[in-house]
Amino acid sequence: MSTAARFDEIVHAPNRLQICAILSAVDSADFAAMREVLRVADSVLSKHVRVLHEAGYVDVHKSTCASRVRTSMSMTAAGRAAYDGHLAALQAIVSNGGFRPDARPGDGLARPPGPEGTPVSA
């Protein structure tokens, strides 16, 4: 069964797209390891993880090990569906099948309007 293409603004931000890509390949990832892979500050990673968590795309897990709090994260089923749908939408765009003049605005597949709001012809 193929995933329905759905452009997702939450997933699309570069750091969040990378977070989703990493989490889609593993059961969970440690916050510190994710920070190192992305080469971002704690605050930057925290902000993007919070956005994904609030959208229901990522679960955040806290545990204590040797008196230190360890934070890890994993992708939820909703997050995996959003990520897969976003990848399908991007694939449709790059394969020239993604922009349709008849698509409705907001479905992620419509052509952007031309000058003065006129539709762009195919």
Side-chain angles (χ1 to χ4, degrees):
M1 181 172 145
S2 67
T3 301
R6 181 183 173 278
F7 192 90
D8 192 304
E9 297 274 339
I10 294 170
V11 173
H12 189 66
N15 284 325
R16 291 194 294 266
L17 184 58
Q18 288 180 293
I19 292 166
C20 290
I22 293 165
L23 292 178
S24 72
V26 298
D27 290 333
S28 68
D30 184 69
F31 184 92
M34 185 76 76
R35 180 193 61 224
E36 294 303 316
V37 169
L38 296 177
R39 295 182 178 168
V40 296
D42 285 357
S43 60
V44 172
L45 180 57
S46 291
K47 175 186 170 193
H48 289 295
V49 170
R50 183 173 47 251
V51 169
L52 291 167
H53 178 71
E54 288 173 355
Y57 293 175
V58 168
D59 281 332
V60 177
H61 315 280
K62 304 250 183 200
S63 62
T64 305
C65 181
S67 300
R68 297 190 72 188
V69 175
R70 307 279 296 184
T71 302
S72 62
M73 59 200 87
S74 60
M75 188 172 271
T76 65
R80 190 165 306 279
Y83 175 68
D84 290 345
H86 188 72
L87 289 182
L90 293 176
Q91 185 61 44
I93 291 168
V94 299
S95 68
N96 289 327
F99 289 114
R100 298 188 324 257
D102 61 334
R104 294 183 316 214
D107 69 4
L109 300 176
R111 285 187 184 273
E116 299 177 17
T118 59
V120 176
S121 59

